[in-house]
Amino acid sequence: MRRMTSLVLILVLSVSCGEQSIQHMTVEAVSQDHTFTLEARGEIVSSESIPISVPNTVSMHLNIEWLLPEFTAVSKGDVVARFESDELSSQRGRSLVSIANQSLVIRNHMMDSETAHTRIEHESTRVEGETVIARTFADFDPRYFSRIEIIDAIGDLDFLGVEASFYDWQSGTHEQRTMAETARIEAERSSVELQLDRQNSALSATELKSPADGVFLHARTPWGQKVGRGSPVFPGGAIGMLPVDGKLQARIYVPKTDAVGIEVGQPVELRIDVDIDRVLTGTIVSVSPMAISRSRQDPRQYVLVSASLDEDMREGVRIGSALTATIVTANLHNAIVLPQQAVFNVNEMFVVYVMGNDGPNTRKVTLGRRSPTLVEVEEGLTGGELVSLIEPIAVDT
């Protein structure tokens, strides 16, 4: 709801050429005092509070299993939230089994490596012995051996030489291959051990306790929703807060289309729903530079306005109370104010159409302060003139 100064609307008949008559809806320019105001909904919040957050040492997200009801009085050390731990315990058990399996794989690999190294050494010794024997009988008497037998013996000696080179290569690279495979398995185990550390740190933080005495309030997600049971919380994320006594503010959600002329320092009147007859006063201390949505389910955009409460007004005010705020965006003295629909933008100039004996005439104007529906005309009009609410071109068509 918006409060505005009443304007006089007059229906004037202007006779055009021919027998047709065109009706012009007009408004009279009157110099008088005006107050631009707008109304919006909001709530009482704390301007300073102690956050209750998931420790940064926890390196994984947690799901809230239980959360203390909002506005509950707590003492230092009281449990305010618990996180789901059954799945974490199961994951930790699987990680322990995986680490044990990886350790067993490493041990078996080392035993297999020693066995393989022994086999290589045995094979290398065998080839070396056979080579000695082959070389001892390398001289063959052609009187006693056929040519085929001599060729086979020479071929065996060459084969033993190749086989000796192969086992020398295996012996030389065996340690390198063993270390590479062991490093791969240890890397897999280290990854699981890292997961285990994360799970242990998460299990150690399955309960959050109040760091001080106060009234427990639920925190909000970046989308404006309050956290609750089942909500995921990431490391360092807040699940609640303890407001500092006496540190109160009004958080006001002004629809984007109505957020015209709002500035820091403007006065605000607040009426709390539970005590509608009581009027609180305050001052705007901040205006968000961008419009935001209050939740994922609400696509409407709001400008977030924060207003401080006058010190003598804070008595008995409760955090979380819903309210209606009336913001005074301008107090004009002896000014001419028109509906925004009476001002047109023509060739990057603001003009109005002033009614004369010959119909509407174009008049350039200079504008001042605005509200969602009204605009101040600083120059270009005098009191008593009638201004058309309809563009002449639109009338003629």
Side-chain angles (χ1 to χ4, degrees), residues 138-188:
D139 296 330
F140 299 98
D141 192 337
R143 293 175 299 176
Y144 302 105
F145 297 94
S146 67
R147 181 171 293 182
I148 294 177
E149 290 174 328
I150 294 173
I151 292 173
D152 288 342
I154 295 173
D156 289 343
L157 187 60
D158 292 339
F159 174 74
L160 290 171
V162 173
E163 196 173 14
S165 298
F166 170 71
Y167 286 122
D168 288 344
W169 171 80
Q170 274 201 328
S171 178
T173 60
H174 176 75
E175 183 177 357
Q176 182 179 358
R177 288 183 283 112
T178 299
M179 292 178 61
E181 182 64 14
T182 302
R184 183 189 66 80
I185 300 173
E186 287 180 343
E188 293 179 356

Side-chain angles (χ1 to χ4, degrees), residues 102-103 105-106 109 180-190:
Q102 295 292 346
S103 299
V105 169
I106 292 176
H109 174 67
E181 182 64 14
T182 302
R184 183 189 66 80
I185 300 173
E186 287 180 343
E188 293 179 356
R189 185 177 64 178
S190 297

